[in-house]
């Protein structure tokens, strides 16, 4: 499905796409935007973001949507696949002067039909707590900008808490707030609580309770996004210095790290069971990182520019115990019928426990599929499947291409070289039936580093040319859901300390400069520049000097980490191709959210689009004209 024609076809906006579970259709009448539906002139403005909350009202129409466009913030009832959007009646609309909203988050614990708690971060550093149903503004945090003057990049309620929230800034700092505390009239004084490799956590010294409770300083440059694990115990941070850092949140301890192939990391997300993290960024890749092994297990190449959002699809992600491998070969619609919002997570969690039981046994096969998606500045939506041939590479074939130790690139691999902890018998059950072919082509990619170049290069550069027949028949195009972070981990094995692994990374870095892959990296960088990636995110795109100096330092960084567990070479991990790769907008994409009946995307022009899942399009009431027809366009 990555096939694209030439000429006019390349610029055609797609309104539907097909996966093995069926056809996803754009519902043109369920488009949310500013009431006048005029495309927003997005030059120089902050990315459009979307937040959802369910207020559990009795009408069965409890979903609410919030999105920002330029200086404006809108709050609507979200009717999804059920009814057409009525843009003339926003529940709340706000227009800000002097600063723009950059991100927002609802607290699902406190949401009712009468009241919701919505946090909004701003370009000048403030954070506002508002109730768009009561139309109240209850509090403004960092009002005098004494805590941080830089743009708010990400704001999230702490899972399970009604009062704690975390705010990240482009300064590279994160702050923990309590809604009950004030921010004080003077700049906060800090005391060091914990320090580690490239991060520090400070407490706020004060006689009375005040905000912030904690200040985290993470990496160098902006902290672009963070995400809490499904159980709320861990925090994954994607930074402009190209590092993914995963912390134990309460203990403020570094669990593991990964480094992008080059450039900054822009986005990050967790699998529903918390076993995998996907990151994306300025290397145009999505990188899948194993939480338990602290290493990159796959990269996905399909985007032609920076990856702005990655997200797992909890409804299509599944783990099945099954004697017959065909158990999962039915359409995923069956799952959608039975899985509700929470049930997807329950299923994944129970699957997680079943997987751990299987780790030491070779009994019956387990069928595993993680679906995730990514959108980018290339206006493309990619869907990826991460299947057991990637997750358990040494079964049923000897997957010597999945090198997990840092030295493996320099030694001839043997059949059992992978050091993965799982020994599950995994049978590939993708109904497309081409796993065998892909397995062969992929297993050759690292049998010999010298020979792997011809095998890998066409794979990485072939997208989005016509390589996938309709139906998404390349199961190995399954990506681990992080749009561009070449995974890196500070711990090669669980027993190693952060310092040990840093020492190992330094020791192995000399191999990085000797490899054939340097030429590949240069080619990749040229390819990246040619494909209209926009300037360095922390500098103005017109500032060529900054771009030049940043690219020099980036190359120096790559030389230090490339070939280590922080950033394995391209031939050392499976390279995934997208199941689907479609141009769906005229402007860069900034939102991808998977809901039970649909998936939601948004572009920088301010259009929020709803794509009905297979079999769900008929739910739209008949009064909405030909909403079932795929002829509408996004813009």
């Amino acid at each position: 499905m990555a096939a694209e024609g030439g000429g006019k076809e390349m610029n055609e906006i797609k309104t539907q796409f097909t996966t093995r579970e069926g056809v996803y259709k754009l519902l043109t009448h369920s488009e949310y935007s500013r009431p006048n539906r005029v495309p927003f002139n997005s030059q120089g403005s902050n990315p459009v973001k979307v937040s959802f909350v369910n207020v559990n009202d009795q009408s069965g129409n409890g979903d609410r949507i919030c999105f920002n466009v330029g200086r404006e913030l809108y709050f609507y009832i979200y009717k999804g696949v059920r009814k057409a959007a009525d843009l003339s009646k926003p529940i709340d609309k706000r227009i800000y002067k002097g600063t723009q909203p950059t991100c927002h988050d609802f607290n699902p614990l406190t949401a009712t039909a009468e009241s919701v708690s919505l946090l909004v971060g701003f370009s000048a550093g403030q954070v506002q707590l508002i109730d768009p149903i009561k139309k109240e503004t209850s509090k403004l945090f960092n009002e005098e900008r004494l805590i941080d003057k830089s743009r708010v990049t990400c704001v999230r309620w702490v899972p399970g808490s009604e009062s704690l929230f975390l705010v990240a800034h482009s300064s590279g700092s994160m702050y923990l707030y309590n809604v009950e505390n004030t921010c004080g009239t003077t700049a906060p004084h800090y005391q060091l609580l914990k320090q580690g490799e490239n991060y520090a956590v400070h407490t706020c010294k004060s006689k009375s309770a005040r905000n912030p409770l904690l200040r985290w300083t993470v990496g160098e440059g902006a902290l672009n996004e963070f995400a809490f694990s499904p159980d709320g115990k861990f925090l994954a941070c994607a930074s402009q210095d190209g590092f993914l850092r995963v912390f134990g949140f309460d203990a403020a301890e570094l669990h593991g790290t990964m480094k992008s192939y080059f450039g900054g990391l822009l986005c990050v997300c967790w699998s529903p069971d918390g076993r995998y993290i996907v990151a994306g960024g300025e290397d145009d890749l999505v990188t899948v990182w194993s939480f338990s092994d602290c290493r990159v297990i796959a990269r996905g190449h399909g985007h032609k520019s920076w990856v702005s959002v990655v997200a797992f699809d909890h409804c299509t992600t599944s783990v099945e115990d099954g004697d017959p491998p065909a158990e999962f070969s039915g359409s995923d619609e069956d799952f959608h019928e039975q899985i509700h919002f929470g049930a997807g997570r329950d299923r994944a969690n129970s699957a997680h426990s079943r997987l751990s039981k299987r780790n030491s046994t070779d009994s019956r096969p387990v069928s595993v599929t993680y679906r995730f998606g990514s959108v980018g500045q290339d206006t493309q939506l990619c869907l990826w499947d991460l299947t057991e041939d990637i997750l358990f590479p040494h079964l049923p074939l000897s997957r010597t291409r999945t090198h997990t130790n840092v030295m493996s690139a320099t030694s001839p691999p043997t059949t059992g070289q992978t050091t993965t902890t799982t020994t599950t018998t995994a049978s590939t059950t993708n109904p497309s039936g081409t796993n065998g072919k892909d397995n062969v082509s992929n297993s050759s990619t690292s049998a010999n580093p010298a020979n792997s170049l011809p095998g890998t290069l066409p794979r990485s550069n072939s997208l989005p040319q016509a390589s996938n027949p309709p139906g998404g028949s390349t199961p190995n195009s399954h990506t681990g859901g992080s749009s561009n972070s070449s995974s890196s981990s500070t711990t090669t094995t669980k027993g190693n300390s952060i310092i040990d692994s840093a020492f190992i990374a330094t020791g192995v870095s000399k191999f990085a400069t000797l490899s054939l892959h340097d030429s590949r990296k240069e080619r990749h960088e040229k390819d990246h520049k040619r494909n209209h990636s926009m300037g360095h995110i922390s500098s103005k795109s017109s500032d060529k000097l900054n771009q030049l100096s940043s690219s020099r330092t980036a190359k120096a960084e790559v030389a230090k980490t490339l070939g280590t567990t922080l950033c394995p070479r391209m031939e050392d991990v499976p390279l995934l191709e997208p199941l689907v790769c479609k141009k769906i907008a005229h402007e860069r994409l900034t939102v991808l959210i998977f809901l039970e009946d649909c998936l939601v995307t948004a572009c920088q022009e301010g259009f929020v689009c709803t794509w009905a899942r297979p079999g769900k399009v008929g739910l739209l009431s008949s009064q909405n004209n030909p909403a079932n027809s795929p002829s509408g366009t996004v813009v």
Side-chain angles (χ1 to χ4, degrees):
M1 290 310 301
E4 298 250 30
K8 260 197 278 183
E9 186 122 345
M10 282 295 281
N11 294 315
E12 186 187 328
I13 303 292
K14 305 299 182 196
T15 56
Q16 67 179 50
F17 54 85
T18 306
T19 64
R20 66 170 184 276
E21 61 269 15
V23 181
Y24 288 74
K25 292 184 180 177
L26 175 67
L27 302 181
T28 53
H29 294 272
S30 294
E31 181 180 273
Y32 287 77
S33 66
R34 299 187 297 170
N36 60 11
R37 293 189 185 273
V38 173
F40 174 67
N41 179 5
S42 58
Q43 293 305 314
S45 67
N46 290 291
V48 172
K49 299 280 185 182
V50 173
S51 297
F52 284 99
V53 69
N54 191 294
V55 298
N56 300 314
D57 69 352
Q58 302 306 311
S59 69
N61 197 16
D63 287 330
R64 302 289 181 266
I65 184 173
C66 171
F67 57 92
N68 61 290
V69 183
R71 296 184 297 120
E72 302 163 16
L73 188 75
Y74 291 94
F75 181 71
Y76 282 97
I77 293 175
Y78 179 69
K79 297 174 183 175
V81 300
R82 294 181 299 277
K83 287 185 180 176
D86 182 359
L87 299 184
S88 63
K89 298 176 184 170
I91 301 174
D92 196 14
K93 171 189 173 182
R94 296 173 186 236
I95 301 177
Y96 295 95
K97 293 178 182 173
T99 184
Q100 295 187 1
T102 56
C103 50
H104 30 84
D105 191 42
F106 287 105
N107 192 328
L109 293 180
T110 59
T112 66
E114 293 76 40
S115 172
V116 293
S117 298
L118 176 66
L119 289 167
V120 185
F122 290 91
S123 55
Q126 305 94 333
V127 178
Q128 194 178 42
L129 175 62
I130 63 178
D131 187 333
I133 295 181
K134 291 182 177 173
K135 297 186 170 52
E136 291 176 357
T137 300
S138 52
K139 287 194 174 169
L140 187 59
F141 302 92
N142 193 28
E143 182 174 7
E144 304 298 326
R145 304 171 71 214
L146 297 169
I147 296 170
D148 199 307
K149 290 182 167 58
S150 65
R151 178 172 54 92
V152 175
T153 55
C154 187
V155 60
R156 294 269 186 273
W157 291 96
V158 174
S161 173
E162 296 186 2
S163 57
L164 297 177
F165 62 93
L166 195 60
V167 181
H169 289 258
S170 59
S171 62
S173 294
M174 280 189 303
Y175 302 89
L176 180 66
Y177 287 82
N178 187 326
V179 292
E180 310 300 333
N181 295 356
T182 64
C183 289
T185 54
T186 57
H189 294 281
Y190 296 105
Q191 183 171 353
L192 184 64
L193 176 68
K194 189 155 232 169
Q195 198 163 13
E197 188 182 351
N198 280 317
Y199 82 98
V201 183
H202 292 79
T203 57
C204 184
K205 280 167 57 180
S206 175
K207 290 179 182 174
S208 57
R210 68 161 284 180
N211 283 319
L213 306 178
L214 294 176
R215 180 184 74 178
W216 293 62
T217 310
V218 179
E220 297 174 19
L223 204 165
N224 289 323
E225 189 176 41
F226 63 82
F228 284 99
S229 61
D231 61 7
K233 293 178 180 174
F234 292 89
L235 184 69
C237 300
S239 296
Q240 189 58 37
D241 61 8
F243 281 90
L244 167 74
R245 296 175 179 88
V246 181
F247 298 95
F249 182 60
D250 290 336
E253 288 180 346
L254 187 64
H255 170 78
T257 357
M258 172 197 93
K259 173 74 172 61
S260 69
Y261 202 66
F262 62 82
L265 283 184
L266 305 178
C267 50
V268 64
C269 67
W270 292 78
S271 65
D273 57 7
R275 294 169 70 89
Y276 302 100
I277 294 173
V278 172
E282 296 175 2
D283 54 9
D284 304 356
L285 302 170
V286 291
T287 305
V288 189
W289 191 77
S290 165
F291 176 79
S292 57
D293 296 343
C294 290
R295 66 180 183 89
V296 177
I297 59 165
R299 290 192 182 104
H301 183 239
H303 286 285
K304 298 184 223 163
S305 187
W306 296 355
V307 182
S308 47
V309 184
V310 286
F312 273 88
D313 182 352
H314 56 275
C315 292
T316 314
T317 292
S318 66
V319 179
E320 292 286 312
D321 286 338
D323 287 317
E327 165 135 357
F328 187 60
S329 62
S331 88
D332 280 351
E333 270 179 69
D334 306 334
F335 294 134
H336 302 323
E337 303 297 339
Q338 354 171 0
I339 296 181
H340 299 298
F341 245 124
R345 241 167 261 128
D346 297 341
R347 186 182 201 108
N349 288 339
S350 62
H352 171 48
S353 61
R354 272 180 275 151
L355 260 185
S356 48
K357 282 181 204 158
R358 289 251 181 277
N359 281 348
S360 56
T361 62
D362 282 340
S363 56
R364 298 180 314 161
V366 177
S367 169
V368 190
T369 302
Y370 293 89
R371 165 72 56 80
F372 65 93
S374 57
V375 295
Q377 299 199 358
D378 56 0
T379 72
Q380 291 193 133
L381 162 71
C382 292
L383 294 182
W384 315 80
D385 271 355
L386 184 64
T387 52
E388 64 270 27
D389 54 331
I390 302 294
L391 302 174
F392 313 121
H394 52 307
L395 292 168
L397 295 173
S398 61
R399 296 273 176 199
T400 53
R401 61 196 166 84
T402 314
H403 301 304
T404 54
N405 53 341
V406 285
M407 303 302 291
S408 59
T410 59
S411 58
T414 56
T415 309
Q417 191 174 359
T418 53
T419 56
T420 343
T421 52
T422 50
T423 56
T424 317
T425 311
S427 61
T428 310
T429 58
N430 193 303
S432 58
T434 56
N435 271 356
K437 176 185 65 132
D438 271 15
N439 289 352
V440 173
S441 66
N442 262 358
S443 58
S444 68
T445 52
S446 71
N448 178 338
N451 296 338
S452 65
L453 270 175
T456 338
L457 275 174
R459 264 184 93 77
S460 69
N461 294 331
S462 64
L463 298 171
Q465 296 153 8
S467 55
N468 295 15
S473 68
T474 51
N476 274 359
S477 36
H478 327 317
T479 350
S482 70
S483 51
N484 21 329
S485 46
S486 307
S487 325
S488 53
S489 81
T490 48
T491 53
T492 45
T493 64
K494 286 185 194 167
N496 283 0
S497 71
I498 295 160
I499 294 133
D500 288 343
S501 58
F503 181 72
I504 290 169
T506 319
V508 180
S509 66
K510 58 176 179 257
F511 293 108
T513 55
L514 301 174
S515 154
L516 299 162
H517 236 57
D518 279 359
S519 60
R520 163 106 188 243
K521 169 177 65 77
E522 311 250 330
R523 206 169 313 170
H524 195 101
E525 284 180 354
K526 278 180 199 153
D527 191 43
H528 176 263
K529 285 172 190 153
R530 187 169 64 242
N531 284 317
H532 71 266
S533 287
M534 315 175 78
H536 201 271
I537 204 160
S538 59
S539 62
K540 296 199 171 68
S541 51
S542 59
D543 193 343
K544 290 180 183 169
L545 281 174
N546 279 3
Q547 282 190 37
L548 284 170
S549 63
S550 67
S551 69
R552 273 191 210 111
T553 50
K555 282 182 184 172
E557 283 299 310
V558 167
K560 282 183 204 166
T561 58
L562 188 62
T564 69
T565 49
L566 283 175
C567 180
R569 296 181 179 283
M570 291 299 280
E571 74 267 27
D572 287 349
V573 292
L575 187 63
L576 311 174
E577 294 173 7
L579 207 62
V580 165
C581 186
K582 295 291 181 190
K583 178 182 173 70
I584 60 167
H586 288 305
E587 265 291 342
R588 60 187 186 273
L589 293 162
T590 56
V591 171
L592 174 63
I593 300 171
F594 290 95
L595 301 177
E596 187 185 350
D597 293 330
C598 58
L599 59 94
V600 175
T601 60
C603 72
Q604 194 53 29
E605 286 183 317
F607 296 109
V608 180
C609 298
T610 298
W611 301 76
R613 289 185 186 271
K616 302 295 184 183
V617 70
L619 298 178
L620 197 61
S621 58
S622 54
Q623 67 198 26
N624 298 336
N625 301 339
N628 293 349
S629 125
S631 60
T633 57
V634 174
V635 183

